[in-house]
Amino acid sequence: QVQLVESGGGLVQTGGSLRLSCVASGRTSSAYAMAWFRQAPGKEREFVAASTWSGESTYSGDAVKGRFNISRVNAKNTVYLQMNSLRPEDTAIYYCAQALTVIPGTSPRDYDYWGQGTQVTVSS
């Protein structure tokens, strides 16, 4: 059993910053790939970023490159998403996900466990 709990969402202004956190518990492993996805109303779930154990981001979605950064603190079983230069189009529910593989993917189908999501709203 693996549980993922996101936090840190909220309402921010255009150009602002926000850091999301995801804490994993249960029978998890720091070796597994973890990722962030987001989903806006009426839109498909979109890949944001993924990380391996080393904390390296092997891939970031085109819409967030240069603005968002994923990182991990394995001792705390925590993955972060630092979001900078936020735009209204970043408004979405953000989900933390964990795979059962060490190789990260970019599709929601590559991940087995999901958090409940945290709402991020960027006002203009």
Side-chain angles (χ1 to χ4, degrees):
Q1 180 180 344
V2 175
Q3 293 179 309
L4 305 174
V5 180
E6 304 98 332
S7 63
L11 175 64
V12 298
Q13 294 182 323
T14 297
S17 297
L18 202 62
R19 188 179 73 165
L20 306 183
S21 300
C22 173
V23 179
S25 62
R27 300 182 65 183
T28 186
S29 172
S30 297
Y32 292 145
M34 297 190 71
W36 288 94
F37 290 79
R38 67 185 184 185
Q39 189 165 24
K43 307 291 288 187
E44 295 183 344
R45 190 163 295 189
E46 177 187 21
F47 174 76
V48 176
S51 177
T52 61
W53 176 88
S54 67
E56 296 177 351
S57 179
T58 60
Y59 184 82
S60 296
D62 291 339
V64 305
K65 285 183 178 178
R67 299 188 298 120
F68 292 9
N69 182 63
I70 186 171
S71 61
R72 298 177 70 165
V73 179
N74 293 324
K76 298 181 179 180
N77 296 316
T78 302
V79 61
Y80 301 97
L81 183 68
Q82 178 66 47
M83 303 183 293
N84 301 314
S85 301
L86 284 163
R87 307 164 180 168
E89 53 263 41
D90 295 319
T91 296
I93 300 175
Y94 284 72
Y95 296 93
C96 175
Q98 184 182 87
L100 290 177
T101 176
V102 299
I103 302 174
T106 60
S107 170
R109 298 183 183 273
D110 296 324
Y111 295 86
D112 299 271
Y113 298 99
W114 295 83
Q116 83 288 348
T118 185
Q119 177 71 47
V120 172
T121 302
V122 184
S123 64
S124 59

